[in-house]
Amino acid sequence: MAITAKYCQKELEEYGGCVVSHPESWQEKCLDLKLKVAKCTSSHPVIRKIRTECAGEFSAFESCLRENPSSAEACRPHLTRFIACVEAVDLSGIANAAPQPT
C-alpha cells in the first residue's frame, strides 16, 4: 500500500474521499476513480510484481468488499492476508525501477 501511495497518492486520495463520501454506493459512484488508481498502479514494475504475486489475495479482498458494501470491517481478515503477501514479495532488483509506459 505504501508503494501505491508513493506513486499514486493523488489518485488514491480522490478514490478514498469518494468511498468515504458514499458509504452505501461507493462501488458505483467511485468506479471512475478506482479505474484511475488502477491505471496509475499498472505502470510501475514494483506494483505489477505485487499484483501478479498477490492477485488471489487481492481478489478475495475485493470480493469481500463487494459482498459487504456497508461493512468493510468484515473484510479485515482478507486485507490482512493481502498485506502479508505484499510484505513477502521479493522486490530486490526492481525497487528503484522507473514506471513503464502503459
Side-chain angles (χ1 to χ4, degrees), residues 73-96:
E73 183 65 29
C75 302
R76 184 175 294 272
H78 297 284
L79 179 59
T80 300
R81 285 190 289 277
F82 173 66
I83 290 171
C85 178
V86 169
E87 291 173 348
V89 173
D90 179 10
L91 299 175
S92 60
I94 64 166
N96 295 320

Side-chain angles (χ1 to χ4, degrees), residues 20-81:
V20 168
S21 297
H22 304 284
E24 299 296 324
S25 59
W26 63 269
Q27 295 95 336
E28 297 96 25
K29 301 261 185 198
C30 307
L31 181 59
D32 289 344
L33 294 172
K34 179 181 178 181
L35 295 175
K36 284 183 183 181
V37 171
K39 183 177 179 182
C40 177
T41 60
S42 68
S43 68
H44 199 277
V46 170
I47 297 171
R48 283 193 300 210
K49 184 168 184 178
I50 289 169
R51 289 178 122 197
T52 299
E53 294 191 19
C54 301
E57 291 83 351
F58 186 72
S59 179
F61 175 58
E62 276 196 319
S63 293
C64 182
L65 288 174
R66 279 192 299 276
E67 293 167 7
N68 299 283
S70 59
S71 179
E73 183 65 29
C75 302
R76 184 175 294 272
H78 297 284
L79 179 59
T80 300
R81 285 190 289 277

